[in-house]
Coordinates of all heavy atoms in Angstrom, one line a residue:
R6 N 50.4 80.5 64.3 CA 51.3 80.3 65.5 C 51.7 81.6 66.1 O 51.8 81.8 67.3 CB 52.5 79.5 65.0 CG 52.3 78.0 64.9 CD 53.6 77.2 64.9 NE 54.4 77.6 63.8 CZ 54.4 77.0 62.6 NH1 53.5 76.0 62.4 NH2 55.2 77.4 61.7
R7 N 52.0 82.6 65.2 CA 52.5 83.9 65.8 C 51.3 84.6 66.5 O 51.5 85.2 67.5 CB 53.0 84.8 64.6 CG 54.4 84.4 64.1 CD 55.0 85.5 63.3 NE 54.3 85.6 62.0 CZ 54.5 84.9 60.9 NH1 55.5 84.0 61.0 NH2 53.9 85.1 59.8
T10 N 50.8 82.9 69.9 CA 51.9 83.2 70.9 C 52.0 84.7 71.2 O 52.8 85.1 72.0 CB 53.2 82.7 70.4 OG1 53.5 83.3 69.2 CG2 53.2 81.2 70.2
D12 N 53.1 86.9 69.1 CA 54.3 87.5 68.4 C 53.8 87.9 67.1 O 53.7 87.2 66.1 CB 55.4 86.4 68.3 CG 56.6 87.0 67.6 OD1 56.6 88.3 67.4 OD2 57.6 86.2 67.4
G15 N 56.7 88.7 63.8 CA 57.3 87.8 62.9 C 58.5 87.1 63.5 O 59.0 86.2 62.8
N16 N 58.9 87.4 64.7 CA 60.0 86.7 65.3 C 59.6 85.5 66.0 O 58.4 85.4 66.5 CB 60.7 87.6 66.3 CG 61.3 88.9 65.7 OD1 61.8 88.8 64.5 ND2 61.2 90.0 66.4
V17 N 60.5 84.5 66.1 CA 60.2 83.2 66.8 C 60.3 83.5 68.3 O 61.2 84.1 68.7 CB 61.2 82.1 66.3 CG1 60.9 80.8 67.1 CG2 61.1 81.9 64.8
P18 N 59.3 83.1 69.1 CA 59.3 83.3 70.5 C 60.5 82.6 71.2 O 60.9 81.6 70.8 CB 58.0 82.8 71.0 CG 57.6 81.7 70.0 CD 58.1 82.3 68.7
A19 N 61.0 83.3 72.3 CA 62.1 82.7 73.0 C 61.7 81.5 73.7 O 60.6 81.3 74.1 CB 62.7 83.7 74.0
Q20 N 62.7 80.5 74.0 CA 62.4 79.3 74.6 C 62.1 79.6 76.1 O 62.7 80.4 76.7 CB 63.5 78.3 74.5 CG 63.7 77.9 73.0 CD 64.8 76.9 72.9 OE1 65.5 76.6 73.9 NE2 65.0 76.4 71.7
S21 N 61.2 78.8 76.7 CA 60.8 79.1 78.1 C 61.9 78.6 79.1 O 61.9 79.0 80.3 CB 59.5 78.4 78.4 OG 59.6 77.0 78.2

Side-chain angles (χ1 to χ4, degrees):
R6 281 198 299 269
R7 283 194 293 273
T10 57
D12 186 7
N16 297 324
V17 178
Q20 294 181 356
S21 60

